[in-house]
Amino acid sequence: MGRWHDAARDKRLTYPSPSADTVSLTRRAEWQALCKHAKEIRPRHLRDLFAADPARGEWLNAEAAGLYMDYAKQRVDRETMRLLLALAAACGLEERIAAMFRGDRLNTTEDRATLHVALRAPVHAQFLVDGKNVVPEVHGVLNHMAKFSRRVRHGDWKGYTGKPIRAVVNIGIGGSSLGPEMAYEALRRYGLRDMTFRFVANVDGTDFIEATADLDPAETLFIVCSKTFTTQETLANAHAARDWCLRALGDEAAIGRHFVAVSTNAAGVTAFGIDPANMFGFWDWVGGRYSMGSAIGLSTMLAIGAENFHRMLAGFHAMDEHFRKTPLADNLPVLMGLLAIWNTNFLEVSTAAVLPYAQSLKRFPAYLQQLAMESNGKHVTVDGRPVDYDTGAIFWGEVGTSGQHSFYQLIHQGSRLVSCDFIGFCQAAHPLGRQHDFLMANMFAQSEALAFGMTADEAKSSGMPVPLVPHRTFEGNRPSTTLLARRLDPTTLGALVALYEHSVFVQGAIWNIDSFDQWGVELGKTLAGRIPQAFAAAEGDEDSDHDSSTRTLLRRYLALR
Ligand code: F6P
């Protein structure tokens, strides 16, 4: 069976050279064609689609960088894919991909390049920012990280009292915590069992207190991660850590042995009191949520070692190269991104569930929430025009099989469609009897049940009481994609993260939005900065200029705290 996109070539599709910012997305002929097609295909059940072409599971798939992606249980046919690819071409996707790798300032509102792919480039590669090859700097930082990591892991880096480091506490939030924490959990089997790693993000004192309650300050290293070194939560926790360390060790000189920093802001690091020699830098062309391959991943390197960290970078790079070079029709991030467009904008599927059947990926949904929702939760196009279509879907998820005992009821029989990404590995991280077979059997079964359901007749034929039949009927026709890899190792994790990074990029390119800024987080921060004055006003019984709801809440809080 020829690959489905031969048909597309047979039609000798000539993709117009697009200029993405001149035509509104929904007025494009390609978008209109998809709207028309959606009306035709929406009523069709996956049962019908498989009946019409039983072999569709053999061609609605793609493979790259060790990842096999089956999307035959998505509600698409050949024509759907052809039309999505035509939309991608009309939106100039290939040019935007080339522009990212070229170092163009695609983060237009902050006037920055978005060149996180340079973080995982081989040492002789060339990636330019403002005409300068940044790869030598990238490898300079990686070498600095590796030297430090070896000293800590081998016990040569001594704390203030001469003891080796036995605990590492990463202090950061958002992209300065979610990636490192996810990678640590994902790759624990590759990590040092005699070192403790903790991740403190929340300004709620509980986070810091609980994370350090059982640690010995003399054996603890803090990594203060903050791209800007101005994030209030991180600075608050860094000062709490400093006080914790000084209370125990009693000398400012201890700071230099128990604190390092990861940031683009050397002045901020120095002002905090960390020796710039103990700072690991990165650059403004690396977005926070795209930074786990940078020095932000120092805790990852300390956990799994430099060699494994480089294997993770190699996995990122393999997917980068696949994304950069592969024709759209065989390009995993492109296919994943276009399927997200199809589900979001044409099947009105507003949420995407990420369901890793691997306990090690328990923080992967949380990581993807920032990557996807902080990138594509936007309401205007790159040139500031309000969008008249949905943008970023709501990402959520939980590992399987645990999620099956929590929210799968809604996914199977709820009134809303949820698009599911199942992620599984053929080899167990920790074999335990036949449990891995049981785990994977559940994953395969869930996507099958979602796709094909159980009709009322099938329910009746099982002999159940008639009044129960409606309750035990499964509509099915619920879309899912399955990703399958040999095992979860550093290389595969890198490729998996890069797949989602670039899928997010593809969606943003089609929606013509800036996937790399995050202005939406600023208002809350600004208002939070005004609340302390409102506390003072409320305590002095003066009226603050807040609304009556907030004012009443503040008063109650102050009365009860
Ligand atoms: O959530 C807003 C944000 O700026 C994220 O984009 C970023 O990852 C996080 O805060 C932390 O920022 P920083 O690394 O500068 O402390």
Side-chain angles (χ1 to χ4, degrees):
M1 169 71 69
R3 292 196 64 76
W4 59 269
H5 51 71
D6 295 344
R9 286 203 192 100
D10 293 348
K11 290 186 188 276
R12 266 177 287 290
L13 280 169
T14 50
Y15 296 143
S17 63
S19 48
D21 56 356
T22 50
V23 179
S24 161
L25 178 59
T26 52
R27 284 207 294 276
R28 286 185 184 282
E30 297 78 7
W31 181 276
Q32 294 301 325
L34 279 160
C35 290
K36 182 172 175 295
H37 176 68
K39 287 194 180 71
E40 294 155 9
I41 198 170
R42 237 197 313 265
R44 300 190 64 192
H45 197 291
L46 276 163
R47 288 166 171 248
D48 309 330
L49 295 175
F50 271 85
D53 181 355
R56 66 186 263 127
E58 293 159 25
W59 47 268
L60 280 172
N61 61 63
E63 186 162 11
L67 295 175
Y68 174 82
M69 182 169 82
D70 170 287
Y71 56 100
K73 298 188 181 86
Q74 288 288 346
R75 292 172 51 179
V76 297
D77 63 7
R78 289 176 198 277
E79 183 62 1
T80 321
M81 299 313 295
R82 192 184 73 79
L83 291 172
L84 285 169
L85 284 162
L87 177 67
C91 293
L93 178 59
E94 286 175 312
E95 169 47 28
R96 276 178 77 93
I97 294 172
M100 175 175 72
F101 281 86
R102 196 171 49 225
D104 288 14
R105 293 167 178 267
L106 296 184
N107 181 353
T108 49
T109 66
E110 294 179 296
D111 192 24
R112 290 173 180 169
T114 58
L115 208 57
H116 40 283
V117 292
L119 296 173
R120 49 263 197 163
V123 64
H124 300 305
Q126 184 155 351
F127 282 95
L128 305 180
V129 174
D130 299 333
K132 180 187 167 197
N133 181 14
V134 297
V135 174
E137 281 177 271
V138 165
H139 279 266
V141 171
L142 286 170
N143 294 338
H144 181 197
M145 291 165 65
K147 284 196 189 81
F148 177 73
S149 167
R150 271 192 280 277
R151 290 184 65 194
V152 172
R153 288 162 59 88
H154 298 163
D156 300 332
W157 176 282
K158 305 294 187 193
Y160 179 68
T161 65
K163 289 183 178 179
I165 298 300
R166 305 281 19 104
V168 174
V169 180
N170 187 90
I171 296 178
I173 198 165
S176 293
S177 177
L178 288 167
E181 183 182 21
M182 180 275 293
Y184 168 69
E185 291 297 345
L187 300 174
R188 281 186 76 159
R189 66 192 283 244
Y190 295 88
L192 292 172
R193 289 293 179 184
D194 62 352
M195 277 185 82
T196 300
F197 288 81
R198 301 278 163 79
F199 297 84
V200 173
N202 200 337
V203 76
D204 176 344
T206 302
D207 207 3
F208 179 82
I209 297 296
E210 293 294 349
T212 55
D214 59 343
L215 302 185
D216 175 353
E219 299 178 342
T220 300
L221 174 75
F222 290 99
I223 306 176
V224 183
C225 282
S226 177
K227 178 176 178 178
T228 57
F229 227 80
T230 59
T231 304
Q232 292 306 306
E233 298 95 326
T234 301
L235 294 180
N237 278 317
H239 282 291
R242 180 190 172 86
D243 296 344
W244 181 81
C245 181
L246 290 179
R247 271 198 304 279
L249 303 177
D251 183 342
E252 281 283 342
I255 299 302
R257 306 304 304 160
H258 294 275
F259 282 79
V260 296
V262 178
S263 185
T264 60
N265 178 357
V269 168
T270 308
F272 176 80
I274 294 175
D275 182 346
N278 294 340
M279 175 180 145
F280 300 84
F282 64 112
W283 307 272
D284 72 3
W285 41 264
V286 179
R289 52 193 176 273
Y290 297 89
S291 66
M292 67 179 273
S294 75
I296 290 288
L298 182 59
S299 59
T300 310
M301 187 183 282
L302 286 168
I304 65 175
E307 291 71 22
N308 277 322
F309 191 85
H310 278 278
R311 289 190 184 100
M312 181 181 78
L313 294 179
F316 271 102
H317 182 64
M319 187 56 77
D320 293 346
E321 285 299 283
H322 166 75
F323 182 50
R324 183 173 67 86
K325 293 191 289 196
T326 307
L328 302 187
D330 284 320
N331 193 308
L332 266 74
V334 170
L335 293 166
M336 181 182 263
L338 291 176
L339 288 166
I341 297 287
W342 173 248
N343 284 322
T344 303
N345 298 108
F346 299 96
L347 295 187
E348 281 101 52
V349 179
S350 58
T351 84
V354 179
L355 309 168
Y357 275 66
Q359 186 64 24
S360 302
L361 286 181
K362 66 184 182 182
R363 293 297 289 159
F364 193 61
Y367 171 76
L368 284 187
Q369 283 188 318
Q370 187 199 11
L371 176 63
M373 293 162 75
E374 195 166 81
S375 293
N376 288 342
K378 307 290 168 65
H379 67 161
V380 293
T381 59
V382 287
D383 45 13
R385 283 179 293 163
V387 295
D388 58 351
Y389 42 85
D390 281 334
T391 53
I394 296 160
F395 263 68
W396 58 289
E398 174 63 90
V399 293
T401 57
S402 307
Q404 295 174 200
H405 303 271
S406 168
F407 48 76
Y408 278 44
Q409 166 62 44
L410 179 140
I411 295 179
H412 280 286
Q413 291 187 322
S415 61
R416 306 162 202 277
L417 272 185
V418 175
S419 174
C420 297
D421 282 0
F422 290 97
I423 304 171
F425 302 91
C426 301
Q427 295 173 11
H430 295 285
L432 182 57
R434 300 295 306 276
Q435 293 188 206
H436 192 67
D437 286 349
F438 180 71
L439 174 73
M440 296 303 281
N442 272 274
M443 184 181 86
F444 297 127
Q446 290 297 333
S447 65
E448 198 174 25
L450 287 169
F452 307 114
M454 180 194 283
T455 64
D457 289 343
E458 288 162 343
K460 277 181 201 142
S461 66
S462 69
M464 69 180 69
V466 171
L468 270 187
V469 168
H471 300 275
R472 298 188 64 178
T473 297
F474 289 73
E475 275 172 17
N477 212 23
R478 298 182 180 220
S480 70
T481 292
T482 298
L483 290 166
L484 198 59
R486 183 185 298 274
R487 62 176 168 272
L488 179 56
D489 57 22
T491 309
T492 305
L493 181 69
L496 181 65
V497 173
L499 168 61
Y500 276 94
E501 284 179 341
H502 299 323
S503 168
V504 163
F505 177 90
V506 167
Q507 295 165 62
I510 302 296
W511 289 324
N512 195 24
I513 57 180
D514 185 336
S515 295
F516 298 98
D517 62 13
Q518 52 283 322
W519 299 110
V521 304
E522 296 306 323
L523 179 58
K525 287 181 185 176
T526 305
L527 294 183
R530 289 175 43 212
I531 295 289
Q533 293 107 1
F535 284 159
E539 279 172 331
D541 263 345
E542 297 149 31
D543 260 350
S544 66
D545 59 356
H546 290 274
D547 62 277
S548 58
S549 160
T550 305
R551 232 181 12 248
T552 309
L553 287 166
L554 292 180
R555 286 218 180 93
R556 289 189 64 83
Y557 167 69
L558 291 172
L560 297 172
R561 73 176 169 177

